[in-house]
């Protein structure tokens, strides 16, 4: 399973507030299949197969244009570990275990 961190920034919206766009992106993600996602204060974490992640990213990249954004900047960071199963929760547990030693 791959993990992607995605930040979508609509530009040309006429406002500095982005929360309505974030809400819309979360609704778009609710419609995506075979992924898990977590909203953070600065980005969204998406977990799933690469194909499903890229499908979800494409959908959320397009969403601000439907809300009249004139430009969209999308930043993507992907962690694709193939030697064993991985998840955001597993990665956090691993660090927390090491911190407690």
């Amino acid at each position: 399973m791959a993990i992607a961190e995605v930040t979508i920034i609509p530009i040309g919206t006429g406002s500095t507030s982005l929360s309505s766009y974030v809400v819309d992106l979360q609704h778009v993600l609710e419609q995506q299949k075979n992924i898990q996602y977590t909203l953070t204060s600065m980005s969204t974490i998406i977990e799933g197969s690469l194909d499903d992640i890229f499908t979800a990213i494409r959908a959320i990249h397009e969403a601000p244009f439907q809300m009249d954004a004139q430009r969209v900047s999308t930043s993507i960071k992907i962690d694709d570990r193939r030697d064993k199963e991985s998840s955001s929760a597993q990665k956090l547990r691993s660090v927390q275990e090491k911190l407690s030693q």
Side-chain angles (χ1 to χ4, degrees):
M1 177 185 318
I3 303 168
E5 178 183 40
V6 183
T7 303
I8 307 286
I9 303 171
I11 301 168
T13 65
S15 173
T16 57
S17 176
L18 299 177
S19 59
S20 62
Y21 289 91
V22 173
V23 168
D24 190 52
L25 297 179
Q26 296 302 297
H27 290 310
V28 170
L29 285 171
E30 288 172 0
Q31 304 302 313
Q32 300 302 303
K33 296 180 177 157
N34 303 318
I35 62 161
Q36 296 176 345
Y37 62 93
T38 304
L39 175 65
T40 75
S41 62
M42 297 293 292
S43 64
T44 299
I45 308 299
I46 305 173
E47 300 181 51
S49 73
L50 276 178
D51 286 341
D52 293 332
I53 287 173
F54 284 130
T55 297
I57 291 171
R58 171 74 183 228
I60 60 176
H61 175 82
E62 291 292 331
F65 290 113
Q66 303 305 314
M67 294 179 67
D68 297 325
Q70 299 299 303
R71 184 176 183 179
V72 176
S73 175
T74 299
S75 297
I76 306 164
K77 186 180 350 178
I78 297 173
D79 180 356
D80 186 9
R81 184 169 184 171
R82 300 201 177 165
D83 62 331
K84 68 178 189 175
E85 284 293 316
S86 182
S87 69
S88 291
Q90 179 274 324
K91 289 173 70 169
L92 289 172
R93 273 193 310 275
S94 179
V95 171
Q96 290 167 342
E97 288 170 4
K98 289 174 177 67
L99 282 171
S100 65
Q101 295 176 354

